[in-house]
Structure formats: structure tokens, C-alpha cells
Amino acid sequence: MAAPTNATGTAGALNTFTAAELAQKLDSGEVSSVEVTQAHLDRIAAVDGGVHAFLHLNDKALETAASVDAKRKAGEKLGLLAGVPIAIKDVLCTLGMPSTAGSRILEGWVPPYDATVVARLRAANLVLLGKTNMDEFAMGSSTEFSAYGATHNPWDLDRIPGGSGGGSAAAVAAFEAPIALGSDTGGSIRQPAAVTGSVGVKPTYGGVSRYGAIALASSLDQVGPVSRTVLDAALVHDIIGGHDPRDSTSLTDTWPSFADAARAGALQENLKGLRIGVVKELDAPGFQAGVSQRFHETLAILEGAGAEIVEVSAPNFDYAVAAYYLILPAEASSNLAKFDSVRFGLRVNPVGGGTVEDVMSATREAGFGPEVKRRIILGTYALSAGYYDAYYGSAQKVRTLIQRDFAAAFAQADVLVSPAAPTTAFRLGEKVEDPLAMYLNDVTTIPANLAGIPGMSLPMGLAPEDGLPTGIQIMAPARADDRLYKLGATLERLLVDKWGHTLLSQAPALT
Ligand code: GLN
């Protein structure tokens, strides 16, 4: 195979197409799933040494692709994305494939079942390429807290790809996979999308099943799509979304087709009648200048297309990061108690033997990394009898106030927008020793998780000072995910009209 000639790989190679384009080529018989899958495996072989998006490759990928080709040949009616490859964040359980959540404590663990979202992808005949790298148990904003080494941003290998789902975002941005799954507890789909120039969606809480997603903070976690276009994200969301009786928080709603919403958005002539709220507290003076500049240019484009831009205030957002970093560790400390050396993964026997408690403590000491330990300690402290009301109780009250801020804002606007991340991709190593600086990178994304509302990150151009991607976040009321796809697709079209190309086609070459 010829060496990749540009950012995307060999011009015109099968790894350069979107999932929707590949689906069309597969459907018309122009290409086979084996060819499409092989093209992505070749791309992974060529560039993943430098990017390190994948922790594990599915050795059955080509076999699955061949079986999908055979079904198509036999005239079987197949789903829209049948035969299209997809990468899966390692936080999701995959039958027969290791699922580590980026932790040593689960090294080599192979789940006996599929997460519901994975089962739905398989049932729709997608081809699982493999498992992507992530911060350990999804704690982090840079993927540097993975126990298996950092992932690198395809735009600049010395920079972080965001986190915790840096692997999924980098795989998509490096054209190693057309689409991927991520999980978003405080921004882990949207912030990596912002800093890699890809599209990422956190659905409404309860809109996508969490069954088989290794839990970080159960009241915040949500699985969602990562892609290079809004339509591709919608196509994935349509497959993975909808009620799941195995998840007690799963909504029983009937959802509209998000792909239809995206298609309608792409064709939408103007935005007349749409009220777009700019959240004052998320348009902060401390944000990187180029991020703010691109954000305001994008607002002008939206206004030029007929939208009404209104300023809204959400005063309690100032306390969102603080509340989140009490609620999340509290829930995480409880969720991670099951890693006790008895039921899953690693077991470390202390030298000279010891009690059951000694074995548990030696295992957790060796199996968890520093950020996970930090949060377990914070969480158990916040939940302890003497401090529960002062910390956890107060944080829950703030959560309610943030939900009220959103309710007030959505009375004035149909959707809300903000930068998806306050900065472009920072350098590897820059914040890893400074947890607070790392936490503050989530300031724009956390409020949506605390309120359970959906959010999308969409590329809005390169920051002039460093030439790196920036993202705009669109938020909608709970259950109105279709608004994200509709407006997202319109904005995507307006931006491509302006630039004359997609953002990712401008990424520097990887080899
Ligand atoms: N960066 C955030 C954190 O460290 C978000 C994590 C996530 O969404 N999984 O908690």
C-alpha cells in the first residue's frame, strides 16, 4: 500500500469517506465491507504507532465483514450502516474482546456479554474495528491517565486528543475509523471532539442505554457517537438509542429519526424563527482568544442565516465544576468498590500472605492509577457521615440550581451555545501534575451532564494563534436531541460553504 499522501491517507482511499458515503457504496455494490474494513485496518497499521488510538484490535473484524458481504449478496435486507466499521471506547463491554476501561485492574478481562449499544451495532451489522484508549475509568480530560500510555492528537502528536475519550476522537480524526462510540460523564465525548476537529454528541440522559458501560458516575454517564459529520453521528445515534429494559434509567420515549433531522438541517435554507441563546457564563474572558474569536464569528454566521441571538445568564454555572467534582467522585467511589480482586480482573497477593482485606488493598493499590485513587479518596470523604451534608448534600443542591438555570434559559431560547472547550489541545504533560487545571477544562461541558440535557460539539474552525481545531457546543432541552442534529447539520453546511472544505481535510499529514 502506498504511504498516505495527506492528512486523510491516500487520496480517495476507502478510509477517507464518511459512514454515510461508505453505506451508499456498500449498498450499490461498488465496494465490499471486506475492502472497507481492510482499508481502515491498513490505515491503523500505518498511523496508530504514532497516534495510539487503539488498545485492542478485533481479530474477527474481517470475518464479520465477509459475513455481512455474504448476507448482502444473498439479498438479505440490511440496516443503513451494515458493513461500515466502527471503533468502540474501551469503557464498553464487548463479548470476546478485552474491556479494560483504561485500567490495569481490568487488564485482560474479557466480558461475558455485550453492552446493549454494542449488541445493537452488531445486530445492525456494523463491523467492530477494536477498542479505543481512554483515561482510566473515564477520569480525565487528556487520555494521559490511561494505564496503557497516552493517545496523541492527530493534528499535532505532541498534544493531547482530549479526554477521557481521546482514543475514539483521535481514531476518527486520523481517519482510522469513520465513526466511534464514546461516553460522556462531564464532557468526555464533546471535549475530545472539540480539540480534534470531530463531531461528538452526548445524548439526553436515559436516551441511550448504559447497560454494559463500565460505570463512572451513574447519574451522569451517557454513551454517544463520535464522527466526522453531523449526519454520521445521527446515523449511529439512531442505532444505539431507544429504550432498554436492562437499564433502569432508560427512557421509554419513542425518538424521532435523528438522521432525518440531520438531513432536514442540511437542506434548511435559513434559521428564521430559531432563538439561539448564548450562555454568558460560558463565554468567559479567560478562554483562549482564538476560541472566543471563532465562537463569535460562528455566532455572526448563525445570525446572518436568520437566527435570533439572545444572551442568557446561568449564574449557578459558576459552581458547576465544584459540584461535579463532589458528585462524580462520590458516585465513582461507590461504583469502583466492586473491583475487589474477587470478581474481576487483577488479584495481587501480598508477599508473605495476608487477610482478605490485605489482598483487596494490595490489588487496589497496584491496579488503580493516581487519578482514580484521588477521586476514590475524595468521594469517600464527601460521603462520610460527618461531611455528607456539607459536601455531597450541598453539591446536590447546586445541581438543582443548575437545572433551574437551564429551565430559565430554555424559556428564552430554543437551543443554547458556547465554546465546547475553553482552549485548543494543550501539550502532553502540561496539566497532568495539576488536577485542578485539568478539571477546569471541563467548565463548558459539565453543566449539561448535571442537568441531563443533550449536547453536541461541532468544529468551528482553527484557532488563529496555534492552527488547532476549536469546537462549538450546542445544547437543547432534555429529549430534544433532534434540535442538535438539525441545527448542527445547517451550521456544518454554512461553515463548509465558508471554508470551501471540511475542517479535517486540512489536518497535517501524519506520516
Ligand atoms: N474530564 C471529565 C472528568 O475527568 C469528564 C469525564 C467523562 O466525561 N468521562 O471527570
Side-chain angles (χ1 to χ4, degrees), residues 352-365:
T355 64
V356 172
E357 275 175 13
D358 294 334
V359 176
M360 286 182 185
S361 114
T363 301
R364 288 166 69 86
E365 163 61 26

Side-chain angles (χ1 to χ4, degrees), residues 88-176:
I88 310 288
K89 189 179 181 183
D90 206 34
V91 76
L92 294 162
C93 287
T94 41
L95 181 70
M97 250 189 279
S99 304
T100 68
S103 182
R104 285 273 170 232
I105 213 157
L106 280 175
E107 191 165 11
W109 182 63
V110 179
Y113 67 104
D114 273 331
T116 294
V117 289
V118 172
R120 287 184 181 176
L121 293 175
R122 290 200 214 251
N125 287 296
L126 277 81
V127 177
L128 310 187
L129 281 174
K131 305 300 289 292
T132 57
N133 198 14
M134 55 183 283
D135 287 297
E136 185 175 4
F137 288 109
M139 298 180 189
S141 309
S142 68
T143 315
E144 293 168 287
F145 291 129
S146 166
Y148 304 100
T151 295
H152 301 251
N153 192 317
W155 288 81
D156 176 348
L157 295 179
D158 292 331
R159 304 218 176 218
I160 59 104
S164 65
S168 283
V172 166
F175 294 80
E176 297 174 76

Side-chain angles (χ1 to χ4, degrees), residues 168-451:
S168 283
V172 166
F175 294 80
E176 297 174 76
I179 43 180
L181 288 190
S183 67
D184 192 312
T185 306
S188 287
I189 292 176
R190 289 163 289 156
Q191 182 257 14
V195 301
T196 58
S198 45
V199 176
V201 177
K202 179 200 101 67
T204 293
Y205 183 78
V208 175
S209 170
R210 290 182 298 111
Y211 177 77
I214 299 169
L216 170 54
S218 309
S219 76
L220 302 161
D221 297 344
Q222 196 54 198
V223 177
V226 182
S227 60
R228 293 192 293 266
T229 65
V230 172
L231 176 60
D232 278 6
L235 288 164
V236 174
H237 194 162
D238 282 341
I239 295 170
I240 60 172
H243 182 62
D244 177 13
R246 287 174 158 151
D247 173 355
S248 61
T249 58
S250 169
L251 296 170
T252 52
D253 300 44
T254 311
W255 299 87
S257 158
F258 298 125
D260 284 352
R263 289 193 192 97
L267 296 174
Q268 189 164 229
E269 295 244 328
N270 60 57
L271 296 171
K272 289 207 178 89
L274 187 74
R275 295 168 306 161
I276 299 180
V278 178
V279 187
K280 198 173 96 195
E281 290 74 10
L282 298 184
D283 185 15
F287 290 5
Q288 187 178 320
V291 170
S292 295
Q293 184 186 329
R294 291 296 179 239
F295 179 62
H296 286 275
E297 287 168 8
T298 309
L299 289 179
I301 289 173
L302 292 167
E303 196 167 24
E308 183 193 340
I309 308 289
V310 292
E311 189 185 86
V312 300
S313 177
N316 295 292
F317 282 19
D318 289 347
Y319 312 107
V321 173
Y324 171 89
Y325 277 99
L326 285 167
I327 293 168
L328 178 140
E331 292 188 25
S333 69
S334 161
N335 275 325
L336 297 184
K338 64 180 165 285
F339 300 104
D340 59 3
S341 79
V342 178
R343 287 169 284 196
F344 300 93
L346 188 72
R347 176 177 301 175
V348 175
N349 291 305
V351 193
T355 64
V356 172
E357 275 175 13
D358 294 334
V359 176
M360 286 182 185
S361 114
T363 301
R364 288 166 69 86
E365 163 61 26
F368 287 142
E371 182 61 22
V372 174
K373 287 178 185 152
R374 178 154 45 232
R375 295 201 195 186
I376 290 173
I377 292 168
L378 260 172
T380 43
Y381 183 81
L383 290 176
S384 60
Y387 295 103
Y388 184 96
D389 287 336
Y391 292 106
Y392 184 73
S394 304
Q396 290 292 15
K397 287 179 189 154
V398 171
R399 186 173 188 171
T400 303
L401 294 175
I402 285 167
Q403 290 165 352
R404 287 186 193 155
D405 278 358
F406 269 121
F410 283 125
Q412 292 171 263
D414 304 302
V415 293
L416 301 177
V417 292
S418 75
T423 66
T424 57
F426 46 91
R427 287 184 196 286
L428 286 155
E430 198 176 311
K431 299 192 185 201
V432 79
E433 301 295 339
D434 184 354
L436 278 183
M438 190 76 92
Y439 297 169
L440 283 171
N441 217 256
D442 304 329
V443 64
T444 43
T445 46
I446 279 173
N449 299 80
L450 290 172

